[in-house]
Amino acid sequence: MRISLAIFSLMSAWIIIKYDTTGIFKFASLQSETAKQMLAPYGLDADKLSSIFLLQNGRVYHKSSAILYISKQLGYFRWLYFFIIIPKFFRDWLYDLIAKNRYRIWGKQEICMLPMPEISDRFIAPEEV
């Protein structure tokens, strides 16, 4: 089985987990030591980043590219990958616009969900890196 690491904001992870029924993706918070260790070999400093990243097959995807490559593997959302044909600068501009207005679009959660025991193994701890 191919494992991909999504470095994320926590709300992004819950959406991916809901539709990733085969467990392809594992997760690390962008603010974690795990993210720092995983992104450092690619010359990326997790302390200076604020977006979703996907590490897969030795490549790093971020922002709209990460979303599209993730959706490509999530059955129901596979059709979204079609938008990869749109130039990255425009996709990332749209990604940034949505990210900036996400609370107005979807609302803000007052509580943060914690992983249930049955999915806790999908969140990578620093010692697993």
Side-chain angles (χ1 to χ4, degrees), residues 67-127:
I67 296 295
L68 294 175
Y69 277 92
I70 289 168
S71 68
K72 182 180 179 182
Q73 300 167 73
L74 293 180
Y76 178 76
F77 293 100
R78 192 170 280 142
W79 64 272
L80 288 172
Y81 188 72
F82 170 80
F83 292 104
I84 200 79
I85 66 171
I86 296 172
K88 184 171 175 22
F89 75 90
F90 183 74
R91 287 187 282 120
D92 284 349
W93 174 82
L94 186 59
Y95 174 93
D96 290 337
L97 182 66
I98 292 169
K100 182 179 176 181
N101 294 290
R102 67 187 177 275
Y103 296 130
R104 274 191 282 206
I105 297 168
W106 291 289
K108 188 171 183 175
Q109 299 293 324
E110 296 300 321
I111 58 171
C112 183
M113 295 173 26
L114 296 174
M116 302 297 286
E118 59 270 14
I119 61 166
S120 63
D121 63 331
R122 298 189 55 197
F123 290 83
I124 300 175
E127 59 272 7

